[in-house]
Amino acid sequence: MKIAIGCDHAGILLKDTVMECVRAMGHEPVYMGCPDANSCDYPIYGRAVAKAVKSGQCDMGILMCGTGCGISLAANRIPGIRCVNCSDVATARLSREHNDANVISIGSRIVGTELACDLIKAFLSTPFSNGPRHIKRIEMIDSLPLE
Ligand code: RB5
């Protein structure tokens, strides 16, 4: 699979680990910034990865910022993107099985390199269950009235 990867200046601490982990699984990482460790704005990179996944340019995405929170909020503004901020392996796995999550977000100030790689392994290797109740609920995310 092609995996879109993006982060801000805080998340860049995990960038090399994440790229290597993705390659080791036999996938192709596509890095979308930020360019370096200078202070920058996470919405830009959350949005870039979300758009790459939504358009089909990439199959799934991985985002990093300090907590994983801000960049996941930005990604989730794109309809069809289901980005989950994970710091435990069970959530990474279940977000695929139950929620068909297509982007994972990781906090570089929360999660160490070993766990980050374990999260990515669980996320990229777990298929969606295709359970009818899960499909119905995922469809409801976009179909329930906003007001
Ligand atoms: C940057 O200092 C930090 O606020 C950002 O990486 C992220 O944690 C926001 O949610």
Side-chain angles (χ1 to χ4, degrees), residues 8-10 42 65-71 109:
D8 71 357
H9 56 285
Y42 59 76
C65 69
T67 58
C69 293
I71 207 160
R109 294 172 178 164

Side-chain angles (χ1 to χ4, degrees), residues 25-44:
M25 291 186 73
H27 302 301
E28 179 188 343
V30 180
Y31 187 63
M32 309 201 141
C34 62
D36 53 41
N38 291 315
S39 183
C40 64
D41 302 314
Y42 59 76
I44 295 168

